[in-house]
Amino acid sequence: MLIRTVEKFMREFGVPPTRFGRESVRDPRLVHDLRQGREPSERVKRRIEHFMNTYRRSVGQ
């Protein structure tokens, strides 16, 4: 499930929910909405995954 992956990422890197949403898909409510059951489109899922992969590479993990 995407929200579990996002929650783990935010804990691991200390990224607050609003910042995660804003930087990944320009939606500060993203994490809140995912927690409430929102199912993002495939395009949004790819943007989220791309953000997390890029972020990991930038911090060297």
Side-chain angles (χ1 to χ4, degrees):
M1 215 161 132
L2 181 62
I3 186 60
R4 288 184 184 161
T5 305
V6 169
E7 295 281 5
K8 182 179 175 188
F9 175 89
M10 290 189 308
R11 275 193 312 275
E12 182 178 346
F13 293 100
V15 177
T18 53
R19 179 177 160 209
F20 180 90
R22 194 176 299 116
E23 291 186 13
S24 63
V25 295
R26 297 187 184 119
D27 179 1
R29 291 186 48 87
L30 172 72
V31 175
H32 172 75
D33 291 347
L34 291 174
R35 288 172 176 164
Q36 297 301 311
R38 172 179 164 189
E39 276 297 321
S41 68
E42 287 302 314
R43 181 175 183 219
V44 171
K45 288 179 186 178
R46 286 193 307 269
R47 288 176 63 190
I48 291 168
E49 290 169 359
H50 176 74
F51 168 76
M52 290 189 294
N53 291 334
T54 303
Y55 194 96
R56 281 186 185 103
R57 282 193 299 269
S58 73
V59 296
Q61 285 192 355

